[in-house]
């Protein structure tokens, strides 16, 4: 019997839970299995493969290089099994299914809820779960099998991620319609300096690019408002509190209803991020996931409506 055939389901399940939690004790609690049993299964895997799968550290268990490879294989195998079961249950077509989407906040405000509602008008048997996370966490959830589809903003390629769709996503200044800069076609960061500004926290691509561009130009801003909640920033502009930074997709309804205006920021570097629709590289998608992915790509904002 070769080594591949000896990788037992129980051992792999325990291994993945420790990889997910970074702790044998936490995995024990989640699996309702004694820590000693989990330790034995992991030790058996290491003996079988002749390599260390975890680095034992004071604060927990961290995957080794070999462990990372095995975890990636195990996650894809588990997802493939889930797909086959789901396909068997839904042989009659898109009558049943579950789609897990992870996205950064801008997509969760309008675009994604609208897309799901519209998609379910024809496929009401398909159910959804949305997780809202920072851009890097979205890619991590896709890579670890916690999300079927990721919709996020990217500055650089992500490991083990297949990009099903990509388009540029420039950043805009969000202004009250009566703001002195509201009628301009473009503005520079320097032109925004005299006005109160609202910015997101540093785990967002908007803030990262803003900080880089300001540093390069030696521009100093003292934000009037910082928040991890994009809607609060946009509302700050709608109430004429000052300028906020975002992309079109997170404020489309507010623009259409005349609550705010969006003026593109022309500084070099404020347009280098992309919208990405992501899936796990090498994974065969369940029928329901594939259908919704195709719907999303078809209905993404066009290049004239690029968003955040």
């Amino acid at each position: 019997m070769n080594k591949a055939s000896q990788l037992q389901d129980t051992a792999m399940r325990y291994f993945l839970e420790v990889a997910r939690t970074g702790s044998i004790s936490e995995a024990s609690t989640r699996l309702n299995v004694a820590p000693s049993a989990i330790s034995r299964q992991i030790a058996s895997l290491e003996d079988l493969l002749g390599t260390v799968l975890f680095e034992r550290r004071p604060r927990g268990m961290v995957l080794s290089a070999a462990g990372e490879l095995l975890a990636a294989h195990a996650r894809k195998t588990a997802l493939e099994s889930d797909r086959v079961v789901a396909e068997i249950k839904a042989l009659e077509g898109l009558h049943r299914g579950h789609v897990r989407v992870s996205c950064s906040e801008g997509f969760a405000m309008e675009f994604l809820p609208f897309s799901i509602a519209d998609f379910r008008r024809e496929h009401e048997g398909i159910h959804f779960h949305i997780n809202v996370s920072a851009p890097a966490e979205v890619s991590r959830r896709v890579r670890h099998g916690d999300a079927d589809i990721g919709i996020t903003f990217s500055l650089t390629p992500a490991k083990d991620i297949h990009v099903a769709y990509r388009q540029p996503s420039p950043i805009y200044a969000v202004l009250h319609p009566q703001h002195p800069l509201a009628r301009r076609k473009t503005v520079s960061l320097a032109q925004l300096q005299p006005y109160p500004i609202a910015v997101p926290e540093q785990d967002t691509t908007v803030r990262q690019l803003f900080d880089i561009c300001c540093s390069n130009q030696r521009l100093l801003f003292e934000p009037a408002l910082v928040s991890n909640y994009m809607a609060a920033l946009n509302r700050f502009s709608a109430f004429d509190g000052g300028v906020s930074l975002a992309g079109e997709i997170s404020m489309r309804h507010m623009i259409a209803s005349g609550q705010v205006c969006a003026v593109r920021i022309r500084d070099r570097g404020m347009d280098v991020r992309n919208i990405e629709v992501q899936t796990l590289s090498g994974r065969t998608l369940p029928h329901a996931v594939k259908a919704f992915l195709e719907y999303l790509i078809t209905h993404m904002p066009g290049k004239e409506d690029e968003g955040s």
Side-chain angles (χ1 to χ4, degrees):
M1 183 180 296
N2 62 34
K3 290 184 179 181
S5 65
Q6 295 179 55
L7 296 177
Q8 299 297 315
D9 289 342
T10 300
M12 293 300 287
R13 186 161 54 91
Y14 292 179
F15 164 76
L16 275 179
E17 196 59 39
V18 175
R20 182 190 302 272
T21 61
S23 164
I24 287 180
S25 60
E26 180 67 21
S28 170
T29 301
R30 295 193 179 207
L31 294 169
N32 195 26
V33 175
S36 58
I38 295 175
S39 294
R40 283 196 301 272
Q41 292 287 358
I42 290 175
S44 295
L45 279 177
E46 291 180 327
D47 288 342
L48 175 66
L49 296 171
T51 188
V52 173
L53 298 175
F54 289 97
E55 296 176 14
R56 277 74 171 174
R57 297 182 182 177
R59 294 188 178 180
M61 309 274 282
V62 178
L63 286 168
S64 66
E68 290 278 7
L69 288 174
L70 184 60
H73 160 77
R75 290 177 188 126
K76 288 180 182 179
T77 299
L79 290 169
E80 183 67 11
S81 297
D82 291 343
R83 181 191 67 81
V84 171
V85 171
E87 295 291 286
I88 290 172
K89 289 181 178 179
L91 286 174
E92 297 303 317
L94 286 173
H95 300 310
R96 298 178 61 180
H98 189 80
V99 181
R100 301 165 302 161
V101 183
S102 187
C103 66
S104 42
E105 186 189 348
F107 295 100
M109 295 171 69
E110 293 183 16
F111 173 71
L112 195 51
F114 173 84
S115 297
I116 290 173
D118 190 52
F119 183 83
R120 277 179 45 82
R121 289 187 180 97
E122 292 188 22
H123 309 295
E124 62 182 19
I126 307 301
H127 299 271
F128 291 81
H129 179 270
I130 298 176
N131 167 273
V132 179
S133 297
E137 174 65 9
V138 171
S139 297
R140 189 203 68 80
R141 290 181 66 84
V142 172
R143 185 165 55 249
H144 285 200
D146 298 322
D148 302 307
I149 298 171
I151 313 175
T152 189
F153 302 98
S154 174
L155 302 178
T156 57
K159 179 182 177 183
D160 296 326
I161 293 296
H162 168 67
V163 179
Y165 178 81
R166 178 189 287 122
Q167 75 173 44
S169 177
I171 297 171
Y172 291 81
V174 185
L175 308 162
H176 186 274
Q178 300 304 315
H179 192 281
L181 301 177
R183 295 186 180 276
R184 293 176 178 265
K185 291 185 177 180
T186 65
V187 293
S188 68
L189 289 174
Q191 288 173 318
L192 300 180
Q193 233 180 350
Y195 304 100
I197 193 164
V199 296
E201 292 187 349
Q202 293 176 339
D203 61 351
T204 64
T205 55
V206 169
R207 179 62 183 276
Q208 290 162 10
L209 293 179
F210 174 74
D211 287 348
I212 291 170
C213 288
C214 288
S215 176
N216 289 342
Q217 299 182 49
R218 298 184 180 180
L219 296 173
L220 182 63
F221 285 84
E222 185 175 356
L225 173 64
V226 178
S227 177
N228 66 340
Y229 186 43
M230 186 65 70
L233 302 175
N234 291 348
R235 288 293 175 188
F236 180 75
S237 295
F239 295 141
D240 204 14
V243 181
S244 61
L245 307 174
E248 188 271 343
I249 207 165
S250 65
M251 54 183 178
R252 183 174 297 175
H253 175 74
M254 296 177 69
I255 294 171
S257 63
Q259 298 176 65
V260 296
C261 297
V263 180
R264 186 162 176 171
I265 299 174
R266 62 175 176 266
D267 298 67
R268 185 176 182 181
M270 294 295 281
D271 58 353
V272 298
R273 67 177 188 165
N274 294 301
I275 292 175
E276 288 190 356
V277 181
Q278 303 176 341
T279 61
L280 179 62
S281 180
R283 181 188 176 192
T284 302
L285 299 177
H287 192 35
V289 174
K290 184 178 180 181
F292 186 63
L293 177 66
E294 292 172 350
Y295 171 93
L296 281 177
I297 292 172
T298 302
H299 291 81
M300 288 298 291
K303 291 187 177 180
E304 296 302 317
D305 305 311
E306 296 156 342
S308 168

